[in-house]
Amino acid sequence: MNSPTTQKVTGADSADTDAARALETERPLRRSLRRSLRGIRPWLAGTSRRRRAAAALGSIAMAALAIGIILAAEPSGSSQSASAAAPVDGSTTVQYRDLISTDTESGTLGYENPQTVFNGLTGTITWLPRIGQALKPGQTLFKVDGQPVILMDGTTPAYRDLTSSDSDGSDILQLNRDLRSLGFDPEHLITVDDGWQAATSTAVEAWQASVGETETGTIALGQIVFLPGAQRITAVNAALGSTGGPGGSSSGPGSGLGSGASNAAGSPSSSSGGSAGAEAILQTTSNHLVVTVNLDATKQSEAVVGERLTVQLPSGNSVSGRITQVSPVAQSSTTSSSSSGAGSSSTPSVTIPVTIKLMDRHRLSGLDQATVSVNFHQQEERHVLSVPVTALLAIAGGGYAIQQATAPHRLVAVTPGLFAAGYVQISGAQAYPGLQVTDSQG
């Protein structure tokens, strides 16, 4: 169940600042006093002892007068700082703080961007990866008749043989980029664009030699699979020794899935491509953990792409996150409820899927599909005067006040602002940082 909560980010006492201001006020007065005394000393040297005694008394009087001026000029912040150093029992201090009110929502930790991988080759499955295995572009996804099917980085599915006679296309652009990044174009002779070049053929032959294939310069459909970046195996839909491929029968669940089908977990997935009837052999995701929150549509304003927030893990630890995607399409669902004697009823629910990238991956091992708490920022106030909520008093007849902790315990009228994490923002003509006030929880 989602529950609104609040969170305070920082707190800062301003007593030191007031003391510094008081010191700046004293310094010019003290300098003026020293200059006055230096002017008196030569005059004293040329007078009689009686006159020197009278002058000394005058100097003492002048010094006392100057000290009195300094004390009179000293701002109330100095006494406030002294009071803050020795708090009264049952009191608290007015301070500047940053206040942030948050809304805590439930989210699910999981790997993003599910994909379905198809086998485009006819033959016997001779090798399969294990569930949970992470594969990088250039590595083997599976083998058919001992021939490796290689993962390549790209978002456009392979849909044709890749050869020098091909027309320009995004699949060739992906191939050129992969051949360069995997080191098969060491002299950078390939221009990374969507056209086949002589350097492309040379790099393809080098790649074929590296995987033990005949160096033809042509890649048959099914020998490579384009998927976006590194992949993590989430399900294996075939068995070793099974046969399949284009037009063949499936040997496991999920066969014949096309673009937009569901993966093993029931989530929408993309497709690596494949001809009609091709075998769905693997389910994958990216290797990046993200948090997904189905945020109530009425709270959509809380989710802003790029905004940072905190995520509380099942262990109780918190990690930082950043909103990377807010779906423009709301999702509708219906929840059933029942009441005594009234049968069951359905309540429609409209939510907005929100995706959050986590900053610290090292603390997320083994947390796939875990439930986490996400703190969305609702309102924020920086460097505002505040007190604990328990120090706020309701005045008879309306309004609010805080009560000075020391005699004569006068009431100071204030206007409350943001409430967050047990604190309340206050403003008032007689409220200042360092003021000690009574606190019912003190």
Side-chain angles (χ1 to χ4, degrees):
M1 175 178 291
N2 301 333
S3 59
T5 61
T6 56
Q7 175 184 9
K8 175 173 69 68
V9 175
T10 58
D13 193 343
S14 64
D16 291 341
T17 302
D18 296 331
R21 291 173 181 168
L23 184 59
E24 289 300 321
T25 304
E26 294 177 14
R27 284 173 178 166
L29 293 171
R30 293 182 187 277
R31 286 195 295 268
S32 177
L33 174 60
R34 286 196 295 269
R35 285 196 298 268
S36 298
L37 292 177
R38 283 198 299 269
I40 292 172
R41 289 189 188 106
W43 178 78
L44 288 175
T47 60
S48 65
R49 180 178 301 178
R50 183 177 299 174
R51 288 180 178 179
R52 286 198 300 271
L57 291 174
S59 298
I60 293 172
M62 290 176 64
L65 176 61
I67 292 172
I69 293 173
I70 291 173
L71 293 177
E74 190 173 90
S76 59
S78 297
S79 61
Q80 296 158 13
S81 178
S83 299
V88 178
D89 289 341
S91 70
T92 189
T93 305
V94 177
Q95 296 182 7
Y96 282 114
R97 289 182 178 86
D98 295 338
L99 300 181
I100 299 176
S101 65
T102 61
D103 171 35
T104 299
E105 300 286 338
S106 178
T108 302
L109 190 63
Y111 291 92
E112 65 179 338
N113 199 12
Q115 303 282 334
T116 298
V117 180
F118 293 90
N119 173 24
L121 300 177
T122 300
T124 301
I125 305 298
T126 55
W127 183 86
L128 289 166
R130 68 180 183 276
I131 294 177
Q133 184 173 349
L135 298 174
K136 298 179 180 179
Q139 294 184 315
T140 301
L141 277 169
F142 56 93
K143 291 182 180 180
V144 179
D145 291 344
Q147 179 182 2
V149 176
I150 304 300
L151 170 65
M152 291 287 191
D153 182 20
T155 56
T156 299
Y159 61 93
R160 59 180 174 174
D161 294 341
L162 293 173
T163 178
S164 59
S165 61
D166 286 339
S167 59
D168 296 352
S170 58
D171 53 346
I172 296 177
L173 170 62
Q174 293 174 166
L175 178 63
N176 283 333
R177 184 184 295 118
D178 284 330
L179 292 171
R180 171 78 71 86
S181 64
L182 293 174
F184 297 107
D185 180 34
E187 297 181 6
H188 291 186
L189 300 178
I190 294 177
T191 300
V192 181
D193 59 19
D194 60 0
W196 192 282
Q197 307 150 45
T200 305
S201 296
T202 301
V204 168
E205 292 175 359
W207 167 75
Q208 288 174 325
S210 73
V211 296
E213 297 297 317
T214 303
E215 300 172 31
T216 63
T218 296
I219 302 175
L221 178 62
Q223 285 186 324
I224 63 174
V225 173
F226 287 116
L227 293 173
Q231 297 292 304
R232 177 178 176 273
I233 307 301
T234 59
V236 177
N237 298 338
L240 287 176
S242 62
T243 58
S249 61
S250 170
S251 55
S255 75
L257 293 178
S259 179
S262 295
N263 66 3
S267 301
S269 69
S270 299
S271 165
S272 67
S275 59
E279 176 187 3
I281 190 171
L282 299 173
Q283 306 290 342
T284 70
T285 64
S286 76
N287 62 351
H288 299 304
L289 276 170
V290 295
V291 173
T292 302
V293 176
N294 290 321
L295 188 66
D296 190 285
T298 61
K299 300 180 179 180
Q300 185 176 0
S301 60
E302 296 178 9
V304 179
V305 173
E307 182 177 349
R308 294 185 178 272
L309 38 68
T310 58
V311 177
Q312 187 171 4
L313 304 177
S315 63
N317 294 327
S318 294
V319 296
S320 297
R322 181 171 56 85
I323 298 176
T324 57
Q325 184 177 2
V326 178
S327 175
V329 180
Q331 297 180 349
S332 297
S333 61
T334 303
T335 57
S336 298
S337 61
S338 60
S339 57
S340 178
S344 61
S345 60
S346 299
T347 303
S349 174
V350 180
T351 58
I352 302 293
V354 179
T355 303
I356 300 158
K357 179 183 178 181
L358 300 180
M359 304 291 107
D360 188 352
R361 299 183 187 176
H362 300 290
R363 301 166 66 180
L364 306 177
S365 177
L367 293 179
D368 185 19
Q369 299 304 309
T371 300
V372 297
S373 297
V374 181
N375 297 318
F376 289 90
H377 290 188
Q378 288 183 310
Q379 187 178 348
E380 181 176 331
E381 295 290 346
R382 296 285 183 181
H383 197 62
V384 293
L385 286 179
S386 62
V387 293
V389 173
T390 50
L392 191 65
L393 304 175
I395 302 175
Y400 294 89
I402 51 179
Q403 184 178 41
Q404 187 173 357
T406 56
H409 305 293
R410 63 187 178 90
L411 292 178
V412 177
V414 295
T415 301
L418 176 64
F419 287 79
Y423 290 87
V424 57
Q425 173 189 358
I426 59 170
S427 59
Q430 299 181 25
Y432 55 83
L435 173 66
Q436 288 193 43
V437 297
T438 57
D439 184 354
S440 62
Q441 299 297 320

